[in-house]
Amino acid sequence: MKIAILGGTGPQGRGLALRLAKAGVDVVLGSRDAARADEIAIELNQIIKPSSDELGVISGANNEDAVDAADKMVVLAVPYSAHNTTLEAIKAQLADKILVDIVVPLAEGNPKAVDMPAEGSVTEEAQALLGDDIPVVGALHNVSAHTLNKLDQAINCDILVCGNDLAAKEQVIALIQRMDVCAYNVGPAVNARCVEAITPMLIRLNISKKVPFTHSGLKIWAPGT
């Protein structure tokens, strides 16, 4: 399997690429600057040292070439300010692929709050922009970049997955599970309004001097545990 991560040179994209490559998934980092993507890919491969079929290989490309190289899934991990322009540039290439949107619309200058688009959430905004023929799945909003990049530690949270296409959500959940983390289908794209809004709450907790930990996440607990 080979997936593309657009915005793959940023902290979230890098961490996700490392986790997926460690799980045996080939990753193409997409960037507006292909040379920068190549440079980061070399750095990440030096961390995981892919030397067998059990590990994936990370490569770099510009955004358009990265999308073309992906077998089925394209992860969007760009800053929200670049969200729509990036999608508009690659829309035609996303036919027969799944877009995994991990972008959170944090308020400008205030990461402790969200500024939701008119559609209600970024996931819904992406679905409206791309049309119903391209499934959009919202996921991985609430796991910190720091956690993803700490390969010596397990991911300390569960992943909430939402979207209107059940088959697409199931494929994304299967991909996430390869990273040894639980993922749950939490409903249609409209529920991304709740999921995306959790991120600034976690950021607020993680920077609070009254909370004795950082880089917290969410866990879904069964009764009696």
Side-chain angles (χ1 to χ4, degrees):
M1 173 185 286
K2 180 180 288 185
I3 72 163
I5 302 178
L6 308 188
T9 60
Q12 199 88 3
R14 293 189 201 193
L16 184 58
L18 286 170
R19 292 283 181 172
L20 289 171
K22 187 178 177 183
V25 178
D26 292 332
V27 178
V28 185
L29 303 180
S31 172
R32 290 175 297 178
D33 184 345
R36 176 62 174 163
D38 284 333
E39 178 184 334
I40 297 299
I42 291 170
E43 292 179 9
L44 299 184
N45 281 320
Q46 290 173 343
I47 294 173
I48 59 171
K49 297 179 173 61
S51 58
S52 71
D53 292 339
E54 294 181 358
L55 296 175
V57 175
I58 302 171
S59 57
N62 62 43
N63 284 335
E64 291 77 11
D65 289 345
V67 174
D68 285 341
D71 295 327
K72 186 65 178 177
M73 294 187 202
V74 175
V75 178
L76 190 60
V78 299
Y80 179 57
S81 59
H83 181 267
N84 287 4
T85 55
T86 302
L87 285 184
E88 288 166 354
I90 63 168
K91 178 178 178 179
Q93 298 171 266
L94 289 173
D96 300 320
K97 299 184 190 292
I98 298 168
L99 180 77
V100 185
D101 202 324
I102 74 172
V103 178
V104 174
L106 297 176
E108 186 176 355
N110 182 13
K112 296 180 290 183
V114 287
D115 186 7
M116 290 296 192
E119 290 80 2
S121 67
V122 174
T123 303
E124 291 171 280
E125 184 176 46
Q127 190 68 80
L129 191 154
L130 296 177
D132 292 337
D133 291 338
I134 299 173
V136 175
V137 177
L140 295 158
H141 300 105
N142 310 139
V143 55
S144 75
H146 175 88
T147 296
L148 289 172
N149 280 278
K150 291 286 287 184
L151 293 184
D152 58 334
Q153 298 178 8
I155 294 176
N156 66 335
C157 61
D158 297 332
I159 306 300
L160 307 181
V161 178
C162 54
N164 297 333
D165 188 306
L166 177 58
K169 285 189 287 187
E170 289 176 342
Q171 291 182 62
V172 173
I173 287 171
L175 176 70
I176 293 170
Q177 288 172 338
R178 293 182 65 163
M179 297 186 291
D180 292 326
V181 62
C182 291
Y184 295 93
N185 174 8
V186 295
V190 66
N191 288 354
R193 302 177 188 188
C194 303
V195 178
E196 293 172 19
I198 292 171
T199 295
M201 300 180 200
L202 293 174
I203 292 173
R204 179 179 291 274
L205 289 174
N206 290 334
I207 65 178
S208 172
K209 294 180 180 179
K210 296 184 178 181
V211 177
F213 50 78
T214 59
H215 311 297
S216 59
L218 294 178
K219 278 282 190 180
I220 306 299
W221 290 101
T225 61

